[in-house]
Amino acid sequence: MKRTISMSCAGALAACAMAIGLTAGPAQAHGVTIDDTDSQGYLNYPGARCNYTNQAVTIARTDQSLIVVCITGAKRYYYKGLRLSDGATIEIDDPTYESPGIWYAQNGETLYHFNQYEFYISNSSVGIIGYEPVLESRGLTRG
């Protein structure tokens, strides 16, 4: 199922983030090797690893989450996230990429947004419900 995010939704989310002080921080480990990863994502966490022979185009880690955006052979993207506290995972088809290095993945009313500095989750009914600084990231581009 294809999920798209309207510019008004993305713009509203960015405005909300700025209003509560979620601004870009200092440079992170963008573009470097992240421990325990390979070209498909995290080695020891299947919930944060691309399926079969698919490649990761983006990998990010926070204190609480592991994030991977994967690309299929048909050039379709999917988002995989893992919450470290309880091992809960989510996979969302067709995340949206906005240059430079911003990804959005939407599951119903819940929107997952991340770049090299921050990861946050919002709900269209209640606003931002989670924020995590990105500790390290690699490949925040579209494949």
Side-chain angles (χ1 to χ4, degrees), residues 42 44-50 66 68 80-82 87-91:
Y42 290 90
N44 298 311
Y45 298 94
R49 187 165 179 75
C50 298
L66 302 178
V68 180
K80 293 188 86 164
L82 173 95
T89 62
I90 189 167
E91 183 172 325

Side-chain angles (χ1 to χ4, degrees), residues 34 41-42 50 55-60 67-71 80 97 101 103 114-115 137-143:
I34 297 174
Y42 290 90
C50 298
Q55 298 295 301
V57 296
T58 299
I59 298 173
I67 303 161
V68 180
V69 175
C70 306
I71 188 168
K80 293 188 86 164
Y97 175 82
W103 284 95
F114 72 99
N115 60 30
S137 63
R138 183 182 82 207
L140 281 159
T141 61
R142 193 166 52 182

Side-chain angles (χ1 to χ4, degrees), residues 94-118:
D94 303 312
T96 303
Y97 175 82
E98 289 186 16
S99 185
I102 302 169
W103 284 95
Y104 296 94
Q106 189 166 5
N107 184 30
E109 291 188 7
T110 304
L111 179 66
Y112 300 82
H113 164 268
F114 72 99
N115 60 30
Q116 74 185 67
Y117 304 109
E118 58 200 3

Side-chain angles (χ1 to χ4, degrees), residues 29-51:
H30 177 67
V32 300
T33 301
I34 297 174
D35 289 342
D36 302 322
T37 66
D38 66 9
S39 64
Q40 290 185 280
Y42 290 90
L43 295 169
N44 298 311
Y45 298 94
R49 187 165 179 75
C50 298
N51 303 328

